[in-house]
Amino acid sequence: MKEIEKAIRGQGLAKEEIVTLLSITDKNEMDELFAAARQVREKTFGKKIFMYGFVYFSTWCRNNCNFCYYRKSNTIARYRKEPKEVVELAVRLAESGVHLLDLTMGEDPIYHKESFASVLEIAEDIKRETGLPVMLSPGVIRDELIDSFAELGVEWFALYQETHNREIFKNLRVDQDYDERMHAKLYAKEKGMLIEEGLLAGIGESYEDIADSILKMKEIGASQVRVMSFVPQAGSPMESVHTPGRELELKIIALLRLVHPKALIPASLDVDGIEGLQCRINAGSNVVTSIIPPLAGLAGVAQNSMDVDEGGRTVQEVSSILREMGMEPATALDYRAYIEQLFAENGK
């Protein structure tokens, strides 16, 4: 297809061309799209794949997002890990071989009340104990708190809009402000942090909406871009909405790669578990996220327990699959070198 050939040549894709590629249904054309994404990925990353440890350390949240299991009004069992335990889990993940530690939380009212003092302490201890880069996924926080994490040297700030269609955003994130959420990540980037942006597939968006999101991610300078398929959650207003066929997520991954050739693009274990890894890598991903140590009392997000205690989300299991695919698990030094390159390109 001419659009794919254009992307391979590094000429970029316009919105209408992205929509055309999202619309393909022919298997041969999809195979061509995925092969192109792999080719573009290999130009920058070779066969190397990065791996992220995931520590979802508080499932308390002040928000009532219509798509989320952990929404404030859902009557579920919740936890808030003690700082010492969070650090111990992070050290355990570091020793297993991950390249980054993703500290994720709901918008926990307790942390907001204490101005994130304990979270700052956790991040500082983890950086000291492991020496690994840290990604913070705290939801919307005040500028002065972003200042504090940036001064601490936290490398990444992750905050997803889920969609860049304001009407859909309003229906997903009840009583939340689109611009306030966008500001937080842009402010973090201004302060020298790398930012991750993400979208949710299958929540009523059009191909045009998806194309807008892919291009918006480029416009804001996100260094890591991702997509996850919507998974209905018990007790949420959207629990009867069907999860989309995974072809949509895979096409979006491939298009993210073609539009963002040097970006880090996750293949999340949080949607389909370890069984969903290979197809996402084949679509152009170069990061495996949501690696969780078994029997640690931690939950995932989209699938809060899938493959966790069975040991399916470990570096060992992921590395075995990658090698069978002809890919190579990267090293922590590989990852550090790449993000230092990103910092340099961002002028930091």
Side-chain angles (χ1 to χ4, degrees), residues 143-144 146-147 182-192:
D143 288 358
E144 55 266 33
I146 294 174
D147 290 339
M182 181 62 74
H183 166 80
K185 68 178 130 260
L186 293 179
Y187 184 80
K189 184 173 186 291
E190 180 184 324
K191 291 300 176 178

Side-chain angles (χ1 to χ4, degrees), residues 8 52 78 92 96 100 165 172 195 214 254 291 307 338 347:
I8 290 174
Y52 289 2
R78 300 178 189 267
R92 183 175 163 189
S96 78
L100 170 139
N165 176 311
L172 289 178
I195 60 170
I214 291 171
I291 291 175
D307 287 345
Y338 191 70

Side-chain angles (χ1 to χ4, degrees), residues 33-34 246-255 279-280 283:
L33 175 64
F34 300 148
R246 296 300 183 255
E247 294 84 3
L248 176 60
E249 180 182 337
L250 299 177
K251 286 189 286 185
I252 296 172
I253 288 172
L255 283 160
C279 62
R280 289 169 172 84

Side-chain angles (χ1 to χ4, degrees), residues 62-117:
R62 64 183 182 177
N63 294 328
N64 236 356
C65 299
N66 280 333
F67 61 90
C68 187
Y69 181 66
Y70 301 104
R71 66 196 309 265
K72 177 179 65 175
S73 62
N74 207 8
T75 305
I76 57 173
R78 300 178 189 267
Y79 63 77
R80 182 183 298 114
K81 298 293 186 182
E82 292 296 323
K84 181 180 179 182
E85 185 179 1
V86 179
V87 175
E88 289 172 350
L89 288 166
V91 169
R92 183 175 163 189
L93 279 164
E95 290 173 346
S96 78
V98 300
H99 308 134
L100 170 139
L101 293 159
D102 178 358
L103 303 180
T104 295
M105 51 177 285
E107 292 196 16
D108 190 327
I110 293 295
Y111 295 143
H112 282 270
K113 185 177 180 180
E114 66 173 30
S115 295
F116 279 70

Side-chain angles (χ1 to χ4, degrees), residues 199-262:
L199 64 104
L200 194 59
I203 36 82
E205 76 282 12
S206 66
Y207 288 152
E208 287 77 12
D209 293 327
I210 296 170
D212 285 336
S213 286
I214 291 171
L215 293 172
K216 186 68 173 180
M217 291 174 177
K218 192 172 188 67
E219 177 189 325
I220 67 174
S223 297
Q224 183 159 297
V225 293
R226 74 183 300 162
V227 57
M228 291 175 64
S229 293
F230 167 76
V231 176
Q233 302 295 326
S236 74
M238 295 176 67
E239 67 177 321
S240 61
V241 176
H242 294 296
T243 189
R246 296 300 183 255
E247 294 84 3
L248 176 60
E249 180 182 337
L250 299 177
K251 286 189 286 185
I252 296 172
I253 288 172
L255 283 160
L256 286 171
R257 175 57 64 207
L258 296 182
V259 175
H260 306 258
K262 296 184 179 181

